[in-house]
Amino acid sequence: MAKAKPVVKAAALDRTINAATDSLTKARGNAETAVTKKTAEAKKLLAEVKRHLKKKTTLTKRSITAAAKLKKDTNAANKKVVATVAKELKATKTALEKARANKAAVLTELAALRSASKRLTAYTKAITAADKVLNKPAKKKRPRKKASK
């Protein structure tokens, strides 16, 4: 015959429930911390992308003017300026692509963290509300007043 499973004791069940709610609360705190840190990182990366875009625009304009000067007057100084601008522009484009890739990864992670944090907050609030209802003291019934004659 198959061995019957033992029945869970009330104390063990209570410990399990308390451990689960504690771990849920701890996870919620960790999620909030992670969201805060990732938000700061995302802001930093957004600023970096903006800075690189501005630099790229400036270098592109400088490249056009340097090319026009070179076309007008071909000398070593103008050739050097064009080469320098092209080199800086290439480095800026590379840095911009790297920053955009990092930003996309961070924003994806941030969205997932926010979703998980929202779920944890909802679960914690629901458990807290349920605990309030379950832990209310029982109302004492007042004895009825006897009707006077």
Side-chain angles (χ1 to χ4, degrees):
M1 271 183 88
K3 193 173 183 182
K5 286 188 176 182
V7 178
V8 177
K9 302 281 185 198
L13 196 57
D14 195 40
R15 277 195 307 272
T16 304
I17 291 169
N18 289 336
T21 54
D22 288 345
S23 69
L24 195 62
T25 305
K26 187 177 178 182
R28 180 181 173 201
N30 291 343
E32 287 174 0
T33 304
V35 166
T36 305
K37 286 182 180 179
K38 281 292 178 184
T39 302
E41 189 178 345
K43 281 184 181 179
K44 187 182 88 175
L45 286 170
L46 284 166
E48 186 180 346
V49 167
K50 195 174 184 179
R51 190 178 74 243
H52 285 307
L53 279 170
K54 192 172 182 179
K55 187 174 181 182
K56 181 183 167 195
T57 305
T58 306
L59 287 172
T60 303
K61 288 177 185 175
R62 195 182 303 163
S63 175
I64 292 169
T65 57
K69 276 186 181 178
L70 181 65
K71 195 173 186 183
K72 199 174 197 181
D73 183 22
T74 308
N75 61 23
N78 287 344
K79 284 182 184 178
K80 188 174 181 181
V81 169
V82 169
T84 305
V85 170
K87 187 177 175 184
E88 283 182 40
L89 190 59
K90 184 178 178 186
T92 302
K93 282 182 179 179
T94 305
L96 178 63
E97 292 304 315
K98 189 176 179 181
R100 278 183 174 159
N102 287 343
K103 183 187 86 166
V106 167
L107 289 178
T108 304
E109 179 68 17
L110 183 60
L113 282 171
R114 281 187 176 146
S115 172
S117 179
K118 209 180 267 188
R119 285 178 51 210
L120 285 167
T121 301
Y123 293 153
T124 307
K125 283 182 181 176
I127 289 172
T128 305
D131 278 348
K132 267 186 191 174
V133 170
L134 293 172
N135 293 331
K136 274 188 181 176
K139 286 188 176 181
K140 294 179 183 176
K141 290 187 177 180
R142 293 193 324 196
R144 288 187 181 183
K145 290 184 180 179
K146 292 183 181 177
S148 58
K149 293 183 182 177

